[in-house]
Amino acid sequence: MTVPMLSLVVPMLNEAEMVPILKERLTEVMGEIGETYEIICVNDGSRDGTADLLDAAHEADGRIKVLHLSRNFGKEIALTAGIDHAQGAAVIAIDADLQDPPELISEFVRLWRAGHEVVYGQRNERRTDTALKRMTANAFYRVMGRLARVDIPAGAGDFRLMDRKVVDALGQLRERNRFMKGLFSWVGYRQIAVPYRRPRRAAGRTKFSYWGLWNFALDGITSQSTVPLRVAGYLGFVVAVISVIYASFLVIRTLVYGSDVPGYASTIVAVLFLGGVQLIVLGVIGEYLARIFEETKQRPLYLVQASRGFDAAVSASTPKTRT
Ligand code: UDP
Ligand code: MG
């Protein structure tokens, strides 16, 4: 089997409506670019007809390869699985719903040829997202920018082209908590942004709820930054200082005015306040502890139930970096 120049990686969860549209658009765009390519569709435990449609697509066109994960592992892991199995000299991650316009790929490839090792799409506006989603996304990028040591460019998503060097570097990061945007910027290399307008989903529905996004944001922050732990420490320090001041005030008042038995309110307030602060701090520590627990289990990131179009050697469930 010859190694293709470009590998497209498409994570898919219940995207049956998109398979035919996507197949047509991607084949068209890739045809225009004129490089050899493979399209790796990662079926992330879909429960609709996605699996069968993908198998049929592979039968019709061998350049479309399929990885069926054993269950739903989430987009970040699906993307990882696809990238692990990609053989191209450059790998392009793209959503299945055409919110990442395939037309941009030729520009990505041009910039890659010009020497950039990472070319990422940057959404310069999100008019097609709801106001609430825009607001929460902005807040998230701001908090992330402050807390994380690596800069995550605002508006950058997973839509990007990566040189083989970058893909191999990424392949060495096997942490379970895979906040891909964080990992992408952690590896560094010469990166360049291509601004674009994010269109509406071509068909189907978004797979992320607000609760899901909130948890995703927590994962993102705790995987990239230990600042919350430090904040917890400062919080404890501030509370301790306040307690000392208040205690001195009580002692002096008792010395000057003698002891007064009533003091129920202040006692209860102090107890509740300290109790609350302790629980918050414990919660923060717990978040990190949970992540350490996840990592120490050393489970494979994903399991491949079946694959179409890969050599046997390549389709092991967690390949290490290939050189
Ligand atoms: N996706 C996936 N596994 C999941 C959730 C989503 O593979 O558990 C895929 C989905 O099929 C799509 C991409 O990730 O190709 C982005 O998902 P979606 O469009 O629902 O996210 P949004 O654009 O609304 O943020
Ligand atoms: Mg989408």
Side-chain angles (χ1 to χ4, degrees):
M1 219 183 279
T2 52
V3 174
M5 186 60 74
L6 302 174
S7 299
L8 265 62
V9 174
V10 196
M12 291 185 163
L13 169 65
N14 301 335
E15 301 283 7
E17 294 132 297
M18 286 309 307
V19 174
I21 312 173
L22 190 72
K23 182 178 171 232
E24 198 192 301
R25 282 286 290 282
L26 289 183
T27 333
E28 191 188 314
V29 167
M30 296 315 285
E32 280 163 17
I33 294 175
E35 303 270 11
T36 53
Y37 68 91
E38 61 179 357
I39 302 178
I40 301 180
C41 299
V42 186
N43 168 21
D44 187 16
S46 301
R47 288 169 184 281
D48 60 355
T50 305
D52 296 336
L53 286 170
L54 287 179
D55 285 350
H58 167 69
E59 288 307 321
D61 182 349
R63 290 172 300 190
I64 300 179
K65 304 177 182 178
V66 188
L67 281 177
H68 295 288
L69 300 189
S70 63
R71 62 172 171 84
N72 178 248
F73 281 90
K75 181 187 174 187
E76 313 291 300
I77 302 249
L79 208 52
T80 307
I83 294 174
D84 283 345
H85 287 76
Q87 290 183 294
V91 177
I92 300 157
I94 183 167
D95 277 4
D97 56 7
L98 294 178
Q99 283 194 295
D100 303 333
E103 290 68 39
L104 248 62
I105 294 176
S106 64
E107 176 70 2
F108 281 15
V109 172
R110 197 183 62 75
L111 288 165
W112 170 57
R113 291 278 183 217
H116 299 279
E117 288 148 326
V118 176
V119 187
Y120 61 90
Q122 189 166 35
R123 293 160 281 188
N124 51 10
E125 55 163 327
R126 295 175 152 231
R127 212 181 292 161
T128 49
D129 281 334
T130 61
L132 184 61
K133 174 137 185 193
R134 259 188 323 226
M135 220 171 65
T136 48
N138 278 339
F140 171 69
Y141 281 114
R142 264 208 310 277
V143 171
M144 242 353 242
R146 287 275 174 87
L147 295 188
R149 276 193 219 117
V150 288
D151 250 346
I152 296 180
D158 296 330
F159 183 33
R160 61 185 57 228
L161 175 150
M162 289 168 288
D163 185 77
R164 173 55 41 197
K165 266 185 278 187
V166 182
V167 172
D168 288 345
L170 209 55
Q172 294 175 37
L173 312 182
R174 302 311 295 178
E175 58 230 70
R176 293 206 45 81
N177 189 342
R178 299 194 78 74
F179 180 67
M180 291 308 269
K181 289 186 251 293
L183 301 185
F184 287 149
S185 39
W186 185 88
V187 296
Y189 291 96
R190 269 172 295 165
Q191 309 211 356
I192 188 168
V194 176
Y196 72 102
R197 272 173 80 175
R198 194 158 170 84
R200 223 175 275 283
R201 213 176 210 289
R205 304 182 40 224
T206 176
K207 306 299 182 296
F208 293 97
S209 62
Y210 276 104
W211 179 242
L213 285 174
W214 165 250
N215 283 313
F216 185 57
L218 280 189
D219 277 347
I221 291 169
T222 49
S223 69
Q224 297 300 318
S225 160
T226 49
V227 171
L229 283 174
R230 201 165 303 154
V231 170
Y234 287 133
L235 189 64
F237 179 74
V238 169
V239 170
V241 169
I242 294 174
S243 315
V244 167
I245 295 171
Y246 186 55
S248 331
F249 164 74
L250 287 183
V251 167
I252 292 167
R253 198 180 62 172
T254 313
L255 287 178
V256 175
Y257 297 104
S259 85
D260 60 342
V261 175
Y264 176 74
S266 57
T267 312
I268 282 297
V269 166
V271 167
L272 289 182
F273 180 63
L274 285 179
V277 169
Q278 280 170 351
L279 286 181
I280 292 171
V281 171
L282 273 182
V284 173
I285 296 173
E287 281 291 322
Y288 285 90
L289 187 68
R291 271 151 191 94
I292 296 171
F293 176 61
E294 287 299 326
E295 295 296 340
T296 53
K297 284 193 283 193
Q298 290 284 316
R299 291 187 184 169
L301 288 175
Y302 53 84
L303 297 171
V304 177
Q305 180 239 326
S307 63
R308 310 269 180 265
F310 297 95
D311 321 348
V314 190
S315 49
S317 60
T318 48
K320 295 287 169 221
T321 40
R322 286 177 302 275
T323 44

